[in-house]
Each structure stands twice: as C-alpha cells, then as structure tokens.
Amino acid sequence: MILFQENLINDIEIEYLLNLWDTNLITSNKQLSDGNRALAMEWVDIKKHNLDISPLHNKAFCNRNFEKIRIQHYHESLGTVEHYHGHTNIHNYIIFLNDDFEGGELEFENGLSIKPSKGSLVYFNNNEKHRVLPNIGDRYIFTALGNTKANIQFKVKIPNII
C-alpha cells in the first residue's frame, strides 16, 4: 500500500526540521560501507541524538518505537540509490523537506513514481520496493521507519504516475 498526502507539514515545521541538520552529527553510507557500496546519502539520526521533534505534526512521530527516525540528504556528488529495495519495517514514512532540485523522484517497483513536493508525505508498507532517482542539487527528507503507526489523519490521494 502506498499513500500520498500533500502539505502534511507547513513551512514552520519544515524549517524546524532543517535546523536540526548539524554537520557534526552526520552519518553516511560511506562510513558504514565495506568499500563495495556506493555512497548515496548522508543523514542525521534524530533518535540516536535524542533530538526533539515534538513540534512536528502534532507529535505524530515522537513514538520511540520507530526503528529509524532521521533527516536524510541526497546530492549528485553522493551517488544514487540505483536498485529497488525494501525495508523490514512495516510502516515507512517519508516527508519531503524541499523540492528546489531536479529529479529525485521516489520510484516504486510497480511503476509508480512520486515527484517530491515540499511538505508532502509518502507512506508505504514493507511490501513496496522502491528507489530514489538521481537528483541534481540538495534533496532533504524526513524519514520514520518502524512497526508502529504514526498518528496521521490522511486525506487519501492516489499519486500521479510520472
């Protein structure tokens, strides 16, 4: 299942999240790799660093049962997520924090492609394999992955296929 919600968070919430980006807290795939894996992103681990995200969408993501809560950064210099992959987590939430870059669509194996839209959320379950298409410029997202649902009121919309 894939759900899309436009304008889930507002500019104040987006700015709040982007202000949590701290170069001293960044982790990257390169730091975790064995040398055979291409670097595709870097992130700030909100859960690990116990950063306050209570102002975000009525505290919907404050549940510490999420396995991963982080802000991720993609840039053409970091490479791409070339292969479709899934997550073991049942509930996967991605909020786009900006859209002032080229490319960077979230593409699902079923052919659905979602163009990033600032403040919008994509929810999908662990059966949906996906990848991130190459982008030019800085692409920031908020992710929460886990086995607990976030308290979100969706206005269901089927995303457009690009």
Side-chain angles (χ1 to χ4, degrees), residues 37-76:
R37 191 166 153 194
L39 176 62
M41 69 176 153
E42 57 188 10
W43 65 87
V44 170
D45 190 325
I46 291 170
K47 189 170 180 175
K48 175 182 173 184
H49 297 292
N50 200 28
L51 300 174
D52 179 21
I53 57 169
S54 60
L56 180 60
H57 193 66
N58 299 316
K59 301 183 181 183
F61 297 98
C62 287
N63 187 323
R64 295 300 178 197
N65 290 329
F66 286 106
E67 185 176 310
K68 295 178 184 174
I69 304 173
R70 55 193 186 187
I71 299 170
Q72 295 176 191
H73 172 242
Y74 297 80
H75 188 272
E76 68 267 20

Side-chain angles (χ1 to χ4, degrees), residues 24-109:
N24 296 315
L25 303 178
I26 292 175
T27 303
S28 70
N29 284 33
K30 187 175 186 179
Q31 292 166 317
L32 302 175
S33 79
D34 59 5
N36 296 321
R37 191 166 153 194
L39 176 62
M41 69 176 153
E42 57 188 10
W43 65 87
V44 170
D45 190 325
I46 291 170
K47 189 170 180 175
K48 175 182 173 184
H49 297 292
N50 200 28
L51 300 174
D52 179 21
I53 57 169
S54 60
L56 180 60
H57 193 66
N58 299 316
K59 301 183 181 183
F61 297 98
C62 287
N63 187 323
R64 295 300 178 197
N65 290 329
F66 286 106
E67 185 176 310
K68 295 178 184 174
I69 304 173
R70 55 193 186 187
I71 299 170
Q72 295 176 191
H73 172 242
Y74 297 80
H75 188 272
E76 68 267 20
S77 65
L78 300 174
T80 61
V81 182
E82 297 176 5
H83 303 287
Y84 289 106
H85 65 282
H87 298 284
T88 58
N89 311 100
I90 296 170
H91 304 287
N92 302 277
Y93 301 88
I94 295 175
I95 300 175
F96 299 108
L97 300 180
N98 69 321
D99 54 14
D100 56 344
F101 52 88
E102 294 179 42
E105 291 84 1
L106 181 61
E107 183 179 74
F108 290 90
E109 195 173 44

Side-chain angles (χ1 to χ4, degrees), residues 104-123:
E105 291 84 1
L106 181 61
E107 183 179 74
F108 290 90
E109 195 173 44
N110 67 6
L112 181 67
S113 183
I114 299 175
K115 183 171 178 51
S117 174
K118 183 178 175 182
S120 297
L121 172 128
V122 178
Y123 164 84

Side-chain angles (χ1 to χ4, degrees), residues 1 34 58 71 129 143 155:
M1 174 175 35
D34 59 5
N58 299 316
I71 299 170
K129 292 191 176 188
T143 60
K155 296 174 191 168

